[in-house]
Amino acid sequence: MPRQIGDVILEVEDLHTYIFSRFGTVKAVDGVSFNLRQGEALGVVGESGSGKSMTALSLLQLLPRPAARIVKGAIRLEGEDLLKKSEQEMRQIRGRRISMILQDPQTSLNPVFTIGNQLTEAIEIQHPEDDGRSLVQRSIDGLKQVRVAAPERRVTDYPHQISGGMKQRVVGAIAISCEPKIIIADEPTTSLDVTIQAQYLRLLREIQEATNLALIFITHDFGIVAKMCDRVMVMYAGRAVESGPVREIFDHPSHPYTQALLRSVPSMNDDVERLYSIDGQPPALWDLPEGCRFAARCPHADDRCQREYPPQVTISSGHTASCWKAGSV
């Protein structure tokens, strides 16, 4: 059954998440805005430290406290502002309405509890009326949904007894067990080999098509974006520098950083001695420049780029970029 892109289910407006440390104020997320529709897959890409995971953790209010906190902005889930919710209210939202597949299943699964224990704990939130036998059966059904072999046996296994690919499927089963409307997948294929990665991506796509849930896919890999996503948001130094439909971004990248990321993707057709890399390093988030944050690494930067941060420019329908020379480079 093909996915049906529905109404806007999540609105993030001018989100600022700062970390207050001994180095100063780390502007991990510094004015990010985006929408997500029911059934849509949004890819979030960028180098390490660009603010991708902190944006995701901000949506669920799972920030490392007390150092980190949201200082400005709005996060509206089906019209409800999550920043006005108490911790108790957020516990009712996490898992049930927004769920997250964490980056490393090796650390997100508890080593002293069985797979069944960890699945039933999540399922009991959605089905508190069920007895123990029913919860175990639902756990087995959840493992079947993510194509885990011999699920009746796996529910009694501990995390150290299963492979990395199997662990990733288990955390996926936990994420979907409460039938959320949005799943955030934070680089879920990082620790998987290429074959298992392809299987897992296919599985995520099948689950999304079957349930029509909305997906936020955080990754470094534009190849995964092309396979999985409808739209893409490119982040750099805490800000979204370009966003738009995947095909539009691939065909007409308008920000020099997006162009550089795409050039970094190896091509099977090109015979080159050395792969392309972006010179320099992202700026320190506690000492950000006044102008464009990519200016120091941009081959097209001029004095204005150094002095002033560029406004968001509309390139085409649904395609925006924050660059003084957007569309002309």
Side-chain angles (χ1 to χ4, degrees):
M1 180 179 177
R3 287 178 298 128
Q4 299 293 323
I5 306 299
D7 296 331
V8 172
I9 187 174
L10 178 69
E11 299 171 90
V12 178
E13 182 180 332
D14 197 27
L15 179 65
H16 292 69
T17 301
Y18 293 172
I19 301 171
F20 299 90
S21 73
R22 60 190 177 91
F23 298 106
T25 301
V26 178
K27 298 180 179 180
V29 182
D30 194 27
V32 170
S33 300
F34 65 91
N35 292 336
L36 182 69
R37 294 181 177 274
Q38 185 68 47
E40 183 180 45
L42 172 67
V44 183
V45 298
E47 292 170 281
S48 295
S50 60
K52 307 184 301 298
S53 294
M54 286 299 290
T55 299
L57 293 173
S58 297
L59 301 182
L60 291 167
Q61 295 188 40
L62 290 175
L63 299 170
R65 299 184 186 278
R69 63 177 181 266
I70 298 170
V71 298
K72 184 182 177 183
I75 303 170
R76 287 185 286 272
L77 176 63
E78 297 180 298
E80 300 178 42
D81 192 344
L82 299 188
L83 299 185
K84 296 180 179 178
K85 302 288 185 182
S86 66
E87 176 59 25
Q88 186 63 34
E89 290 172 323
M90 283 303 301
R91 287 180 182 175
Q92 300 301 312
I93 290 170
R94 298 184 196 117
R96 291 185 177 184
R97 297 171 67 185
I98 306 181
S99 195
M100 188 169 182
I101 301 173
L102 296 171
Q103 185 169 352
D104 185 3
Q106 188 69 43
T107 56
S108 56
L109 290 173
N110 194 319
V112 301
F113 291 103
T114 65
I115 299 303
N117 291 149
Q118 297 181 64
L119 267 165
T120 54
E121 181 182 21
I123 294 170
E124 193 173 11
I125 296 172
Q126 184 73 5
H127 302 280
E129 74 283 355
D130 282 8
D131 58 20
R133 182 174 298 179
S134 298
L135 289 172
V136 171
Q137 185 57 51
R138 287 185 186 274
S139 299
I140 292 170
D141 293 341
L143 293 179
K144 287 179 180 177
Q145 191 174 1
V146 294
R147 315 289 193 274
V148 170
E152 295 84 0
R153 193 177 76 220
R154 293 303 180 195
V155 292
T156 63
D157 284 348
Y158 288 87
H160 73 273
Q161 295 176 288
I162 61 177
S163 67
M166 197 73 75
K167 288 187 184 77
Q168 195 66 66
R169 290 172 186 252
V170 169
V171 296
I174 293 172
I176 66 174
S177 61
C178 294
E179 302 172 5
K181 294 188 176 182
I182 300 172
I183 285 184
I184 303 168
D186 187 2
E187 300 189 39
T189 59
T190 298
S191 58
L192 307 180
D193 63 54
V194 176
T195 304
I196 302 302
Q197 180 184 103
Q199 294 175 0
Y200 191 75
L201 292 175
R202 193 179 309 116
L203 175 64
L204 273 180
R205 173 63 83 183
E206 290 172 0
I207 291 171
Q208 188 188 19
E209 290 175 351
T211 60
N212 209 45
L213 56 81
L215 179 66
I216 299 176
F217 204 103
I218 298 171
T219 181
H220 294 276
D221 192 338
F222 262 110
I224 291 176
V225 169
K227 181 188 293 287
M228 293 291 297
C229 300
D230 305 298
R231 290 191 303 117
V232 60
M233 179 173 71
V234 181
M235 292 191 67
Y236 185 78
R239 289 190 173 178
V241 296
E242 185 166 7
S243 64
V246 168
R247 183 177 295 275
E248 177 74 14
I249 295 291
F250 272 74
D251 292 344
H252 305 289
S254 298
H255 195 283
Y257 181 58
T258 308
Q259 295 168 0
L261 288 178
L262 288 171
R263 285 186 63 192
S264 301
V265 178
S267 172
M268 299 295 290
N269 300 320
D270 296 336
D271 185 13
V272 295
E273 293 184 2
R274 186 179 181 86
L275 295 176
Y276 176 80
S277 62
I278 308 173
D279 293 334
Q281 295 291 330
L285 295 178
W286 59 86
D287 187 22
L288 291 166
E290 291 184 9
C292 176
R293 295 172 184 182
F294 189 61
R297 308 171 73 186
C298 179
H300 309 288
D302 57 21
D303 290 342
R304 181 172 60 172
C305 300
Q306 304 285 351
R307 293 192 311 268
E308 304 174 54
Y309 192 85
Q312 189 178 83
V313 177
T314 299
I315 308 300
S316 61
S317 178
H319 182 189
T320 61
S322 296
C323 178
W324 289 112
K325 302 179 181 181
S328 63
V329 296

